[in-house]
Amino acid sequence: MNPSGDSWFSWANLNEFHILTQDYEDFAEKDEVEFLSKDGTLKYEVQVQLENYVDHHVTVQDEIIYFMKEGTVHQPEVFEMALRGYNIDTSNFVINTENNLRYMEPHHNQ
């Protein structure tokens, strides 16, 4: 929220996430890259390229988002699947690997 009371929203669609390789030179295979250690921390600074990212009502294309290695991942399983681009149902945290749920479309969880 800014000083005049306006609320700003930023969002990105999970299916438009593309993980970059550890050297940040190429796209990684989303199901083969390992960026989390056994204890749930990041092995390296993870970069994700977003096809479309909306920030303050402005659409930005091919934006790169950085996740710092020094932070704590509180739900590593959910974080990992979100970065891989899978849909996650927030009512029960079921991971949909079929990518067949669309925004605002009725399905069994509504």
Side-chain angles (χ1 to χ4, degrees), residues 2-106:
N2 65 11
S4 64
D6 296 331
S7 295
W8 300 103
F9 298 98
S10 300
W11 72 87
N13 293 323
L14 292 179
N15 61 349
E16 296 180 346
F17 276 47
H18 303 288
I19 302 172
L20 299 177
T21 56
Q22 189 170 356
D23 61 359
Y24 314 128
E25 297 292 328
D26 201 3
F27 295 114
E29 293 292 328
K30 78 174 187 176
D31 289 329
E32 295 176 10
V33 64
E34 293 297 328
F35 51 86
L36 285 175
S37 62
K38 298 287 183 191
D39 60 352
T41 60
L42 293 175
K43 292 181 180 178
Y44 57 92
E45 184 176 287
V46 178
Q47 293 185 10
V48 178
Q49 182 173 346
L50 304 174
E51 292 178 23
N52 296 294
Y53 171 68
V54 178
D55 185 28
H56 293 87
H57 302 286
V58 176
T59 301
V60 182
Q61 293 182 330
D62 297 327
E63 183 73 15
I64 295 179
I65 303 293
Y66 302 86
F67 295 97
M68 299 297 186
K69 181 180 177 182
E70 292 80 20
T72 302
V73 180
H74 295 286
Q75 295 182 343
E77 299 85 11
V78 175
F79 178 75
E80 181 180 11
M81 291 299 125
L83 287 189
R84 293 182 192 278
Y86 294 117
N87 289 324
I88 300 170
D89 184 355
T90 56
S91 65
N92 56 8
F93 294 103
V94 170
I95 297 168
N96 179 13
T97 58
E98 296 176 11
N99 197 22
N100 58 5
L101 297 179
R102 291 179 282 212
Y103 178 69
M104 298 297 289
E105 185 172 285

